[in-house]
Amino acid sequence: MESFRVHILGCGSALPTLKHNPSSQVIEIRGKYFMVDCGEGTQTQLRRSKIKFTRINAVFISHAHGDHCFGLIGMISTFGMLGRTAPLHVYAPSAFRKIMEMQMDFFCNGFEYDVVFHDIDTTVQKIIYEDRSLTIETVPLSHRVPCCGFIFREKPTLPHILRDMADFYKVPVSQFNNIKNGTDWIDEEGNVVPYTRLTRPSGPVRSYAYCSDTRYIPSLYESLKDISVLYHESTYLSEDETMAQMYCHSTAAQAARVAADAGVGTLVLGHYSARYDDEKKLLAEAKNVFSNSILSYEGLIIDV
């Protein structure tokens, strides 16, 4: 099965701590590498993860708060100093473009690669990237500034040939692709062999959703139905729900409620408030609602 992994580079919230870095992740899917958010320290975390800088194809910024984007200009500069030539695509809310262009004009002159900005409308769920093997779509969230999440979804693959059955019916290799695409085989005696007898279904389609800073949205689950792995911010405990409402964040229990309603496979908690020394309390709260919950931490690699 092709690789589909999530590398956690940072899972803290706005206030820096010695324990957690600000938000950043790398999604590795079928040999492509996409970064989601780029807080301070992301370059160092990339080094620690042993992900080559040259592997990053695009960066997706959920919203223009510093703990999600202050590391981007430094990383762009480093890419230039390392001699990058391939374009870097940056997907971000439209207001972010002007900020970045001003910084690049000041700090990033003379580089040999282009930074291509793509404006995101955070108010709609929409596919913003697509290639032969995957799609990436936005998910509207509710925060103090325009904000969205992202769903990474691989496309279905063709069925697999059952080689022993193909040999039994003397199917030439040249016909394998046709059979994978649903064409029945007619043997030497004119008998029709259904393609379903010659193939087995491919594995289930995998998906990963990243829900950045957001207040609890009761209807959010409708956009996340049957996601394989969901990362949902869980900044606060329920005892601090008033603060969560004030700053447009979620509690661990609320994140778990979204996961349970959506029927996801696994919930990953993150974006922890610096007020908590022990995130296990957040995990316990989430598990009371959705048992298949885990904590994110720097260096964690999640196989989707």
Side-chain angles (χ1 to χ4, degrees):
M1 185 175 288
E2 295 277 0
S3 64
F4 193 162
R5 302 185 185 95
V6 179
H7 302 258
I8 304 295
L9 306 184
C11 56
S13 57
L15 289 178
T17 70
L18 296 176
K19 189 175 182 180
H20 292 299
N21 279 61
S23 295
S24 186
Q25 302 181 3
V26 170
I27 290 80
E28 172 193 348
I29 177 169
R30 297 190 181 184
K32 306 178 186 73
Y33 289 74
F34 304 97
M35 179 175 286
V36 179
D37 284 341
C38 189
E40 294 175 85
T42 292
Q43 293 185 74
T44 303
Q45 293 300 97
L46 270 178
R47 295 282 192 197
R48 289 187 174 130
S49 71
K50 302 191 185 323
I51 297 173
K52 293 182 179 180
F53 286 17
T54 54
R55 301 299 299 273
I56 304 299
N57 296 305
V59 180
F60 295 79
I61 301 296
S62 62
H63 65 293
H65 274 168
D67 56 319
H68 294 258
C69 63
F70 276 170
L72 181 56
I73 188 63
M75 191 174 72
I76 287 173
S77 177
T78 296
F79 285 175
M81 290 188 287
L82 290 174
R84 182 183 180 112
T85 57
L88 177 70
H89 293 266
V90 177
Y91 296 78
S94 55
F96 189 69
R97 175 194 290 264
K98 184 176 181 180
I99 297 170
M100 285 304 302
E101 287 178 343
M102 290 175 61
Q103 289 183 317
M104 290 186 61
D105 287 343
F106 194 86
F107 294 111
C108 302
N109 289 310
F111 290 157
E112 297 180 3
Y113 77 101
D114 294 325
V115 178
V116 183
F117 288 98
H118 303 265
D119 295 334
I120 292 176
D121 182 351
T122 61
T123 66
V124 298
Q125 183 159 357
K126 179 182 178 182
I127 292 175
I128 57 173
Y129 174 93
E130 183 173 13
D131 61 27
R132 293 178 62 184
S133 61
L134 74 132
T135 62
I136 304 172
E137 62 187 287
T138 53
V139 179
L141 300 176
S142 178
H143 196 43
R144 303 191 305 278
V145 297
C147 182
C148 68
F150 303 101
I151 297 176
F152 294 77
R153 202 187 312 267
E154 62 182 359
K155 292 182 177 179
T157 56
L158 293 175
H160 302 289
I161 290 289
L162 295 172
R163 191 57 189 260
D164 56 343
M165 296 297 289
D167 291 343
F168 178 80
Y169 287 106
K170 299 180 181 180
V171 180
V173 173
S174 62
Q175 295 302 309
F176 282 6
N177 278 339
N178 290 334
I179 291 169
K180 287 181 181 181
N181 281 288
T183 301
D184 296 331
W185 172 246
I186 301 176
D187 67 15
E188 295 174 349
E189 298 177 358
N191 299 312
V192 177
V193 182
Y195 76 93
T196 52
R197 188 178 299 173
L198 299 166
T199 61
R200 63 176 172 83
S202 60
V205 173
R206 298 168 293 175
S207 53
Y208 174 70
Y210 174 87
C211 288
S212 177
D213 298 15
T214 183
R215 67 173 179 84
Y216 171 60
I217 306 173
S219 61
L220 179 59
Y221 77 93
E222 296 173 357
S223 299
L224 304 172
K225 282 288 189 181
D226 301 321
I227 290 290
S228 305
V229 178
L230 166 65
Y231 176 95
H232 191 295
E233 75 119 289
S234 52
T235 308
Y236 294 105
L237 289 167
S238 290
E239 64 190 41
D240 295 314
E241 186 172 340
T242 299
M243 193 170 296
Q245 293 174 349
M246 182 184 307
Y247 294 111
C248 293
H249 284 294
S250 299
T251 67
Q254 289 171 336
R257 202 168 302 140
V258 172
D261 290 343
V264 306
T266 302
L267 169 66
V268 184
L269 305 175
H271 200 267
Y272 313 123
S273 169
R275 68 179 48 244
Y276 306 121
D277 294 325
D278 185 4
E279 286 97 29
K280 291 180 181 177
K281 294 180 180 178
L282 294 161
L283 181 60
E285 182 173 291
K287 278 181 169 290
N288 283 335
V289 180
F290 185 75
S291 61
N292 202 13
S293 300
I294 65 172
L295 292 172
S296 60
Y297 57 86
E298 285 73 7
L300 174 64
I301 300 174
I302 302 165
D303 282 307
V304 176

